[in-house]
Structures are given as C-alpha cells and as structure tokens.
Amino acid sequence: MATCATGCSDAPTDREVRILRWTFRRDEDSVVCELGLNRDHSAYELRVNPPWKAAAATVEQFDDAMSAFQRHAAIERILVSEGWLLEGFESERLDRR
C-alpha cells in the first residue's frame, strides 16, 4: 500500500473534485458526459453536452454514486444503440472554487 506524506502534490485539496468524462462520437459530432460531485459535495452531478444543444448542457443530480452511474449507463446504452462510439474516457481533478 502506498502512502503519501503531507507535502505530497498528488493529494486532493478541499477545493478539488474528481470529474469522470466520457466522449462519444458519431461522424463529426460528439457528446460529452461528465460525472462528479457538485460544488458543495452534497450530490453527484451528471452533465450531458449534446452537439444539438451545445449552449445548454443538461444536468441531473443524484444523492448517491450508484444512481448516477446507473443513469450514465442508461444514457450510454441509448447513444450506442443510435450509432455513437465511445471515443475516450478521462478522469481528472478540477479546482472548484
């Protein structure tokens, strides 16, 4: 098991939140789904940025991670059934002030 001293730069801060991001592509269009905690860490947010509504992403909130992941899986099944392909997945920490 790895441990990290208090000065470790990889340790998350209270202002940071981990975001999981899936990018789906069909032809020249892309859909981005992001999952992470909201600003006050009280709920999980699932954001979907479809190309046909680029200026207004949809945001759904969930009390627990399992419900958020289940909803993401449902969206992914719909996208794949409509011909979208998973182009990429990334995980990153973002500063949420």
Side-chain angles (χ1 to χ4, degrees), residues 10-74:
D10 288 341
T13 67
D14 289 341
R15 293 187 326 241
E16 290 181 333
V17 63
R18 177 146 319 266
I19 299 292
L20 305 177
R21 184 178 297 115
W22 295 264
T23 303
F24 297 89
R25 183 163 302 276
R26 182 174 69 185
D27 301 325
E28 298 301 315
D29 293 327
S30 63
V31 173
V32 177
C33 298
E34 293 181 335
L35 178 59
L37 287 170
N38 63 0
R39 289 193 186 279
D40 65 1
H41 296 213
S42 65
Y44 290 88
E45 287 184 346
L46 178 61
R47 296 178 173 273
V48 179
N49 300 313
W52 54 88
K53 205 177 186 184
T58 60
V59 179
E60 297 179 54
Q61 290 198 350
F62 301 89
D63 293 332
D64 61 278
M66 182 60 78
S67 296
F69 276 111
Q70 288 173 339
R71 176 64 177 137
H72 171 267

